[in-house]
Each structure stands twice: as structure tokens, then as C-alpha cells.
Amino acid sequence: MRTTVGIIGAGPAGLLLARLLHNAGIESVVLESRDRAYVEQRQRAGILEQGTVDVLRAAGAGERMDREGLPHDGIELRFAGGRHRVDFPALTGGRYVMVYAQTEVCKDLIALQLKEGGPLLFGAEALAVEDAESERPRVRFTYDGREDVLECDYVVGCDGFWGVARKAVPAELSRAFERTYPFGWLGILADVPPSHDELVYARHDRGFALLSMRSPSVSRLYLQVPQGTDAQAWSDEEIWDELDRRFETTDGWQLERGPITSKSVTPMRSYVHEPMRHGRVFLAGDAAHIVPPTGAKGLNLAVGDVVTFARALAYEKETGSGELLDAYSETCLRRVWQAERFSYDMTTLLHRDPDATGFEDRVQLARLERIASSRAAETDLAEGYTGFPLE
């Protein structure tokens, strides 16, 4: 097989990249190791930044999002029994976020790709990326029980942390920056309308809790739990009881309960791989960086990466200049590190470290009180949450 851009991974990053390239008249082939049903069902992120919303609309993938997604103009912070709302549009010049699950983004992009785009091969497992420094990098993969080769002008690895694309960067040129947190998130989906119309981030002495949603009838909630916790060790009643404790307020607010349809534990880590490009192989999304989910940045960072690549390749096509492609890693990493900083700040602001001292607890509360009382501090949070510019 032969194409201009070989894309490894049909998550939102790979699928959006294929769509952007199609709109720019550039050929691509997408290789995805899983089947279509798996890709359309795996639960991941649910918060889209303003920039991501704008990109999906411009790409022709926003119709159902605009019809079914839930625009949010703010979040609520809870601490010490009190409640403080952060008003995004008032603090950012009108920016907001959209609650629309990654599964739905993937469904929309898959439908468009199969209808209008280039080949999208499910069950095609990438084995290796070869000849990264040449003008014809190759992806070896298996499909329909046999091994094949995809020859490309460029390869973009959207294949996650455990994928093969990052291995194309020589070890002597790679630098990894990592932070592992001593806790995770026990997440549930529940068939009950959300108990609040915006996301609620709660800091409690027993640990963090988050109230989110997937639709007007489905709630998504999280509890901070020790690293290595088994989700099945928690009964449904224990989960609801603990959520009640952590969301408790002095004004008598009540959390609505309902049947829990799934539960799982997400580990918490920060990770960045530098560089994000080697030769004609480019890394995007989790293949290059991971953020703790507190700041709702993972999917949105991946979108920033593929937008940067698509713009750079379109620029080369129009002008013959590879200047923007050469700057890909540096351009992406500026945004990545700001998102890492924001996600780290949100995580340390709201989660209680199991080894925290009384002093550290008081400093954490002081940081929250500063946000609640200072427009400058509140604006910094709102600007970070709604998204950093797509360069």
C-alpha cells in the first residue's frame, strides 16, 4: 500500500487528522488495531475546549455535537463546605467548553471517514515504523491474517502510550519527563440525571470528587482512591455514600442516586516525550504526552497536535516550504507544557496527598480561597480550563 500520510490509531486524534487532511486534499490511510465497535465504545474524555469545538465544526464534524452536546459556561469549586462558581465567558471574553463524550466524537469522525475519506482499516495492527529518517518511511502491520507494508511520505503516530510509533525515535535522542501520583480515580457511569447543571470539583479532607455527566440522563462521577485500588472492591452503596460525604455543603445540596452501569479505576500520571518528531515520523496525543484528567486536557491536547501537523503539511503543499513541519515538535511542546502545568496545578489543588501535613492542607485551602476571592486568580483558572490557543 502507498499513501501520503500513514496514521496509526483511530482514536479522536487519528480520525480528526484524517478528516483535516481529506479537507486539504491530502491522502491518508488510518490503521487501527481494534475493531470498530471497540473504538466507538471505549470511555475516555468528555470535555471539549472552545478550540476543539471550533475545529470540529470547521472540519464538518460538529452537526451532532451541536445538537446533542451540552455547552457549559463554568464549573463549581467546593471546599470547606462552601461553593464557588467560576464563570468562563465573563473571565475569558466569551469562551466556554462542551460536554460531548469522546465516544461520540469518534462515531462522528468514523462515519465521515467511511463515507468520504481514505482507507480506514480496523483490525490492522501496526508492528513497527521503519526508515523514519528516509523520504519513504514505512509501517509494517498485520491485516486479515497477513503482514503488509504501508509506504508513506509521513507517518503520524496517534497510537497511544503503548503504541509502536514512539519507538521510531532513537533512544539516544529521546527524553522522557514523568510524574506518577499516589492516587487514582474511581469512575462510575450512572443512569441518573446529573445533580448539577455544571461540573463540580470538590476538595475534601477525605479526598477529591468530581461530578460530571455524559448526557441529561447519564451522570459520570469520580472519587479519589489510593493507587492500585480495585474498582470491584467498592459496592455501589459505598460509592454513593462516599460521594455524598465529599460533595456535602452547608446549604443542604443533595446528590441524586441511580443505578451504576460501570465502574473502573484510572491511574494518575503526567508524562511528556521530547522530541515529538524524528525524521518523517510525528507523534501526537498520548503517544507523546499524558496528563492527569483533572484539567480535562488529554483529548484537547491531541487535537492541538493534529491541527498543528495538518496546517504544517498543507503549508508545505501550498508553498513548498517545510518550515512549519520542521517546527512541529517545538510548536506542540509549548502548548503541551502549559497544559501539563495547568493539569498539575489542578491536581495538586484538589487532591489530598496521603502524606500531606496539616501545613500543606492549609496551603491547599488558601489556594482555593485565593481563586474564590481574586478575579486575577480566577481568570487564570478559567483561561487554562477553556483552552490554550491552537498555534
Side-chain angles (χ1 to χ4, degrees):
M1 296 181 67
R2 178 82 177 87
T3 193
T4 303
V5 181
I7 301 171
I8 309 175
L15 292 166
L16 177 59
L17 176 57
R19 180 66 182 173
L20 295 173
L21 295 176
H22 169 77
N23 290 347
I26 299 171
E27 292 183 342
S28 70
V29 173
V30 183
L31 305 176
E32 168 56 47
S33 62
R34 302 283 193 164
D35 62 28
R36 180 177 178 178
Y38 180 89
V39 174
E40 292 185 340
Q41 293 172 9
R42 56 187 167 192
Q43 294 291 330
R44 293 291 188 274
I47 306 296
L48 308 183
E49 294 175 354
Q50 175 79 66
T52 297
V53 170
D54 294 341
V55 166
L56 289 170
R57 286 174 178 155
E63 181 180 350
R64 194 164 69 93
M65 173 190 69
D66 283 330
R67 187 171 65 249
E68 300 179 10
L70 305 174
H72 278 210
D73 287 339
I75 58 173
E76 183 173 286
L77 300 177
R78 292 190 183 179
F79 59 97
R83 307 165 65 177
H84 176 76
R85 182 175 184 267
V86 179
D87 186 331
F88 293 155
L91 296 163
T92 64
R95 299 213 310 263
Y96 66 97
V97 297
M98 179 81 78
V99 176
Y100 191 63
Q102 174 176 311
T103 51
E104 307 310 311
V105 173
C106 287
K107 289 175 186 176
D108 296 341
L109 290 169
I110 287 171
L112 285 170
Q113 184 71 7
L114 294 177
K115 179 182 178 182
E116 304 173 3
L120 167 54
L121 305 182
F122 291 103
E125 182 178 2
L127 303 175
V129 178
E130 301 171 340
D131 302 326
E133 297 179 19
S134 74
E135 293 185 356
R136 295 289 185 272
R138 300 152 35 100
V139 182
R140 282 197 299 108
F141 68 99
T142 58
Y143 183 64
D144 273 350
R146 67 178 188 276
E147 188 169 316
D148 204 343
V149 173
L150 178 62
E151 297 182 347
C152 319
D153 294 336
Y154 303 94
V155 174
V156 182
C158 305
D159 51 345
F161 182 80
W162 301 107
V164 301
R166 194 171 65 251
K167 297 176 183 177
V169 184
E172 62 271 19
L173 300 179
S174 298
R175 296 185 67 193
F177 304 86
E178 188 169 11
R179 168 71 182 267
T180 301
Y181 300 89
F183 41 76
W185 277 11
L186 170 60
I188 64 166
L189 279 172
D191 286 338
V192 60
S195 299
H196 194 64
D197 56 3
E198 293 179 333
L199 273 69
V200 177
Y201 287 78
R203 186 271 177 200
H204 193 277
D205 288 342
R206 297 176 64 90
F208 169 76
L210 171 62
L211 186 157
S212 183
M213 62 282 293
R214 284 293 178 264
S215 74
S217 61
V218 177
S219 293
R220 182 74 159 151
L221 300 109
Y222 299 93
L223 284 170
Q224 176 187 343
V225 293
Q227 187 181 49
T229 293
D230 178 6
Q232 303 309 315
W234 284 68
S235 71
D236 292 3
E237 185 176 3
E238 287 173 329
I239 292 172
W240 286 118
D241 287 347
E242 189 62 25
L243 287 167
D244 271 334
R245 294 185 190 100
R246 299 190 193 183
F247 285 125
E248 185 179 12
T249 61
T250 55
D251 63 3
W253 179 91
Q254 291 292 315
L255 177 67
E256 297 297 326
R257 301 188 178 199
I260 295 176
T261 58
S262 73
K263 53 180 124 172
S264 62
V265 172
T266 301
M268 304 281 281
R269 61 192 302 229
S270 301
Y271 174 87
V272 179
H273 178 278
E274 296 185 4
M276 290 177 58
R277 177 210 178 167
H278 178 66
R280 288 182 172 239
V281 176
F282 298 76
L283 304 179
D286 287 0
H289 42 73
I290 294 172
V291 289
T294 325
K297 288 285 163 279
L299 167 60
N300 297 290
L301 269 186
V303 168
D305 294 343
V306 299
V307 167
T308 300
F309 176 81
R311 288 176 178 172
L313 190 56
Y315 182 78
E316 183 192 52
K317 180 184 176 184
E318 294 166 5
T319 68
S321 171
E323 177 185 0
L324 297 185
L325 285 171
D326 292 339
Y328 171 80
S329 183
E330 180 183 356
T331 301
C332 289
L333 284 169
R334 282 197 296 270
R335 191 169 185 268
V336 166
W337 277 111
Q338 284 301 318
E340 292 283 354
R341 186 272 307 170
F342 176 77
S343 298
Y344 174 82
D345 284 351
M346 287 285 284
T347 300
T348 57
L349 175 71
L350 295 161
H351 293 73
R352 192 176 189 282
D353 190 299
D355 297 322
T357 64
F359 177 86
E360 290 164 327
D361 286 338
R362 289 302 182 98
V363 168
Q364 194 177 50
L365 288 170
R367 291 170 63 193
L368 285 160
E369 288 166 357
R370 173 67 176 169
I371 292 168
S373 61
S374 164
R375 187 176 179 86
E378 193 179 25
T379 299
D380 184 62
L381 188 155
E383 289 179 343
Y385 199 97
T386 55
F388 303 103
L390 294 172
E391 296 186 44

